[in-house]
Amino acid sequence: MRIQSIGSSGLALGGLALLASSCATLSSIERTAASVVVSDDQEAQLGLQVKSELETKQNVKYCGDPQVTEYVRGVAGKVLALAEKDRPAVKWQVNVIDDPGTVNAFATPGGYLYVYTGLLLLADNEAQLAGVMGHEAGHVVARHSAQQMVDQFGLDAVAQLALGKNPGVLGQLGKTVVQKGAMLAHSRAHEDEADEYGARYSSAAGYDPHALSGFFTKLKAKVGDTNTLTTWLSDHPATSSRITHINSYAQQNGLNGKDLGADRFVAIRARVAALPPSSGVSNAPAPRPAAPANSPPN
Ligand code: ZN
């Protein structure tokens, strides 16, 4: 349909327009294929498998301060209230990884969001954290991970998983995802799309949508243009064009929201900074979904 309409109205544009159209069409086909092939249940199973790999093989430790974890979950909860409308079947789970030296956050299939204490230490305010959480939620809502699975492991392996023909595939995929860090390596197009989710969700939750680009600016100032560090920047390159994209997207779509939540955030950041080294715990604290999303930390 799309190719036909371009072809009938834009012949003079020649192959370039057709090529661009083909790319867009291919992307939507991939997404549709991924959503058909990888069910919500399969994504949830894979997310659980990755979590288990992280905890047992990668020896990931979670933040041992319940107040910090609950605070992050509360901020994420405001954003996820919007994401839930877009993907109601996802059971979101937010965990804080105890690693002050790593500025990172990532999402896996099934709605598992992870944020490192190093990111909390670098951020300026709650709105930046909300933007990052919205970005990661966007990867899940848009099924980017499922698309990557299809891209990287092939439709056959993922289809086998979906059909239940080869239960071992699930374990293999989870292992490979962790080993390759595959859940981190999103394409530039996926990053731009996730940025739009981040700006939109955080704005709808009352936050300043420009905070996400503000966080990128901060990252750039910290590590420059090198992508050699293991930071959110290396997996989510914070180019100037990306910062511009977020700001123009917010303007074009009339996104508003003023809340920065700097005071609330600074208090929590101080707690993170005061945590003793190696104070992380092996098991993620159980989520407390009943906690009010907007209650101030105490
Ligand atoms: Zn991303």
Side-chain angles (χ1 to χ4, degrees), residues 12-98:
L13 294 175
L16 190 62
L18 194 59
L19 183 64
S21 170
S22 298
C23 289
T25 306
L26 186 61
S27 171
S28 66
I29 288 172
E30 282 172 354
R31 178 173 304 182
T32 306
S35 64
V36 169
V37 169
V38 186
S39 70
D40 291 333
D41 280 351
Q42 297 288 354
E43 275 203 46
Q45 286 182 50
L46 185 68
L48 196 59
Q49 182 77 28
V50 171
K51 182 167 180 279
S52 171
E53 289 281 332
L54 289 170
E55 292 169 358
T56 57
K57 304 284 168 46
Q58 307 296 312
N59 208 21
V60 157
K61 297 277 186 265
Y62 298 102
C63 177
D65 184 337
Q67 283 192 36
V68 172
T69 303
E70 286 303 320
Y71 169 82
V72 171
R73 285 175 176 166
V75 173
K78 293 190 202 177
V79 170
L80 294 176
L82 284 305
E84 273 170 359
K85 292 179 181 167
D86 291 336
R87 278 200 72 180
V90 171
K91 293 184 174 55
W92 301 91
Q93 187 178 126
V94 180
N95 290 312
V96 180
I97 294 177
D98 175 46

Side-chain angles (χ1 to χ4, degrees), residues 66-274:
Q67 283 192 36
V68 172
T69 303
E70 286 303 320
Y71 169 82
V72 171
R73 285 175 176 166
V75 173
K78 293 190 202 177
V79 170
L80 294 176
L82 284 305
E84 273 170 359
K85 292 179 181 167
D86 291 336
R87 278 200 72 180
V90 171
K91 293 184 174 55
W92 301 91
Q93 187 178 126
V94 180
N95 290 312
V96 180
I97 294 177
D98 175 46
D99 185 350
T102 299
V103 182
N104 205 357
F106 62 92
T108 75
Y112 292 82
L113 309 188
Y114 299 88
V115 58
Y116 287 72
T117 48
L119 189 144
L120 300 176
L121 290 172
L122 182 69
D124 287 320
N125 54 52
E126 195 174 293
Q128 290 183 355
L129 175 62
V132 169
M133 292 286 95
H135 171 103
E136 298 301 339
H139 280 310
V140 176
V141 168
R143 295 180 179 273
H144 290 164
S145 296
Q147 291 177 64
Q148 280 179 272
M149 283 165 57
V150 172
D151 286 349
Q152 297 192 8
F153 304 111
L155 205 53
D156 281 352
V158 179
Q160 277 182 9
L161 168 71
L163 294 170
K165 282 185 177 174
N166 185 352
V169 168
L170 182 65
Q172 290 166 22
L173 287 186
K175 206 172 188 174
T176 312
V177 164
V178 169
Q179 284 171 349
K180 287 188 174 178
M183 66 271 192
L184 303 176
H186 290 295
S187 70
R188 175 61 193 276
H190 284 181
E191 292 304 348
D192 277 346
E193 190 177 13
D195 284 343
E196 294 175 3
Y197 276 101
R200 196 163 69 246
Y201 285 162
S202 59
S203 166
Y207 292 108
D208 182 347
H210 302 283
L212 181 58
S213 60
F215 181 69
F216 279 130
T217 304
K218 180 119 190 186
L219 271 174
K220 282 192 70 163
K222 180 178 168 67
V223 299
D225 287 326
T226 62
N227 283 344
T228 54
L229 299 176
T230 306
T231 67
W232 208 57
L233 184 60
S234 64
D235 299 310
H236 308 68
T239 60
S240 299
S241 65
R242 203 167 154 198
I243 293 168
T244 305
H245 177 78
I246 295 169
N247 290 337
S248 61
Y249 176 84
Q251 188 183 12
Q252 285 164 10
N253 291 275
L255 300 184
N256 46 40
K258 297 274 181 272
D259 190 16
L260 289 176
D263 291 349
R264 299 187 294 270
F265 184 82
V266 167
I268 287 295
R269 192 176 62 192
R271 288 187 72 89
V272 175

